[in-house]
Amino acid sequence: MYIIDNNSDNAYFNIASEEYFLRNKNEDFFMLYINPPSIIIGKNQNTLAEINAEYVNKNNIAVVRRLSGGGAVYHCHGNLNFSFIITDKEESFMDFEKFTRPIVSVLGSMGVSAQLSGRNDILIDDKKISGNAQFKSRGRMIHHGTLLFSSDLSKLKKSLKANPLKFKDKATKSVKSRVANICDYLENPIDIHEFKKLVISGILETNKDCEIYALTEADKKSIERLVEEKYSTWEWNYGYSPKYNFSSEEKFSCGLIQSYLFIEDGLIKSIKFYGDFFGKHDISELESRLTGIKHDRKNIEEILSETDPGNYFAGIIPEELLKLLL
């Protein structure tokens, strides 16, 4: 097995690198990487239903969809991520214990008592410090997980705080858990980079045939191409979301406004406004302008900047109407 100490600080590149090694190599790999603030969405999730879109946009937090299922997770410079990318002969998929055992062992060597709980979480004192997921394709598989080391847990909670009442879909939902940082359980303080070195040392000790692998220029170019064509695109990160219904209502000075949207392939397929509001123009004009565009802030803001919403809802401003559409 090869060990990759991936030092990239680009979330799109790091998630894309997992698919690259899955589909283009035959060897087994163990990769570690640290992402900047980002939310990694499960393959079968509705992105907007999982994130606090306003907070995420305001704080320039990257949103990246991964290949595996499961729930959304928050990454930052205080979070260490690990990936096993291997050839699987039908015995490893869904065996979470096999892949988390080395991590639990490393933590134990540091005096931290951790254990796999349920199907795919590692806990310390009944608090989650690691979530894990898997993906399999054509005899190869990825097992990847997070390790909360010194994350800003307040930002984690704010980033993933979506309003579930607005969304109705059949997408996979994230399960909220009590979380903790590994650093709080260490007797001797270390930083995340020292922690990463200890994890690498632990893997080397338990796998005597391991070698360090450095990404070649050809590897990097291929991964960057995958980022450009897939992992950095709206179509993959948002448009891939399952179809869903979105609804919201709020009381404004012009009256009560209710919005009902149907979204498919990330596009607003239909939209209707209801309420006891007053307006100079027929509301169907605005509904028509919004139909067919991407259900995201940038595209909706562009339409509202070209069309004064106050003509349809007396006295309302674009920022207020946005609350009903995202």
Side-chain angles (χ1 to χ4, degrees):
M1 183 169 70
Y2 292 99
I3 294 179
I4 304 172
D5 183 1
N6 181 357
N7 292 311
S8 166
D9 192 42
N10 183 307
Y12 303 109
F13 182 93
N14 293 334
I15 302 301
S17 65
E18 295 182 331
E19 179 173 352
Y20 169 75
F21 283 101
L22 175 82
R23 302 197 190 281
N24 297 279
K25 303 289 184 177
N26 296 316
E27 300 84 1
D28 292 349
F29 295 90
F30 175 75
M31 181 166 63
L32 291 168
Y33 59 90
I34 298 172
N35 276 332
S38 50
I39 296 176
I40 313 303
I41 299 290
K43 185 178 181 180
N44 304 311
Q45 292 193 292
N46 174 0
T47 301
L48 287 177
E50 295 296 328
I51 69 174
N52 179 348
E54 183 176 0
Y55 182 85
V56 165
N57 291 325
K58 182 178 180 181
N59 290 277
N60 297 313
I61 296 172
V63 176
V64 193
R65 188 182 300 278
R66 62 178 186 266
L67 285 177
S68 63
V73 290
Y74 176 75
H75 289 182
C76 67
H77 290 118
N79 183 86
L80 180 63
N81 307 287
F82 67 93
S83 300
F84 289 94
I85 307 166
I86 68 168
T87 297
D88 178 48
K89 297 179 180 178
E90 302 300 330
E91 75 274 7
S92 297
F93 189 67
M94 295 305 292
D95 184 354
F96 286 87
E97 197 276 335
K98 173 181 178 179
F99 297 99
T100 56
R101 189 190 314 126
I103 304 300
V104 170
S105 178
V106 170
L107 291 172
S109 70
M110 300 169 64
V112 178
S113 178
Q115 60 280 324
L116 179 67
S117 177
R119 183 183 64 178
N120 61 337
D121 294 337
I122 300 177
L123 305 185
I124 301 176
D125 288 345
D126 293 325
K127 295 180 180 179
K128 180 176 177 178
I129 56 96
S130 174
N132 294 258
Q134 296 181 343
F135 174 78
K136 185 170 183 178
S137 175
R138 299 179 181 179
R140 297 273 288 169
M141 69 167 285
I142 298 171
H143 175 108
H144 47 195
T146 61
L147 287 167
L148 292 172
F149 183 78
S150 56
S151 294
D152 187 329
L153 300 183
S154 65
K155 290 183 179 179
L156 181 156
K157 293 174 183 177
K158 291 176 183 176
S159 299
L160 296 174
K161 190 178 180 181
N163 184 350
L165 298 178
K166 290 185 176 182
F167 297 88
K168 290 185 180 180
D169 57 39
K170 296 181 180 180
T172 302
K173 308 298 181 186
S174 295
V175 177
K176 308 304 179 187
S177 307
R178 290 198 308 157
V179 294
N181 277 315
I182 295 168
C183 68
D184 294 333
Y185 295 88
L186 298 176
E187 290 187 9
N188 301 310
I190 58 174
D191 65 24
I192 192 168
H193 300 289
E194 293 174 288
F195 177 60
K196 182 166 70 166
K197 291 178 182 178
L198 289 173
V199 173
I200 291 174
S201 297
I203 297 297
L204 285 170
E205 287 176 8
T206 55
N207 295 271
K208 300 303 181 182
D209 63 338
C210 276
E211 297 180 35
I212 302 298
Y213 181 94
L215 269 65
T216 66
E217 288 304 312
D219 291 334
K220 294 176 183 177
K221 288 181 179 179
S222 294
I223 295 169
E224 287 166 356
R225 187 180 309 115
L226 194 54
V227 169
E228 182 180 352
E229 296 175 353
K230 180 175 182 179
Y231 282 92
S232 65
T233 67
W234 178 91
E235 285 75 14
W236 172 248
N237 295 320
Y238 289 88
Y240 189 84
S241 297
K243 58 185 178 183
Y244 58 94
N245 293 304
F246 176 95
S247 63
S248 187
E249 68 175 36
E250 194 159 339
K251 185 79 172 179
F252 297 98
S253 59
C254 61
L256 177 70
I257 305 176
Q258 299 170 314
S259 63
Y260 294 88
L261 292 75
F262 173 65
I263 315 297
E264 187 172 11
D265 298 327
L267 304 176
I268 301 175
K269 293 295 185 179
S270 64
I271 178 171
K272 291 294 293 182
F273 291 103
Y274 298 98
D276 59 3
F277 54 86
F278 294 99
K280 293 187 294 183
H281 296 177
D282 192 318
I283 192 61
S284 63
E285 296 177 6
L286 180 59
E287 292 169 344
S288 178
R289 293 292 303 277
L290 292 167
T291 300
I293 70 168
K294 295 177 180 178
H295 188 210
D296 70 354
R297 178 174 296 271
K298 178 182 178 181
N299 284 270
I300 294 175
E301 282 183 332
E302 185 176 333
I303 294 297
L304 297 184
S305 69
E306 299 170 351
T307 308
D308 182 4
N311 288 325
Y312 307 97
F313 310 103
I316 202 171
I317 59 176
E319 288 75 15
E320 292 176 321
L321 188 56
L322 270 173
K323 296 178 182 178
L324 291 172
L325 300 173
L326 293 169

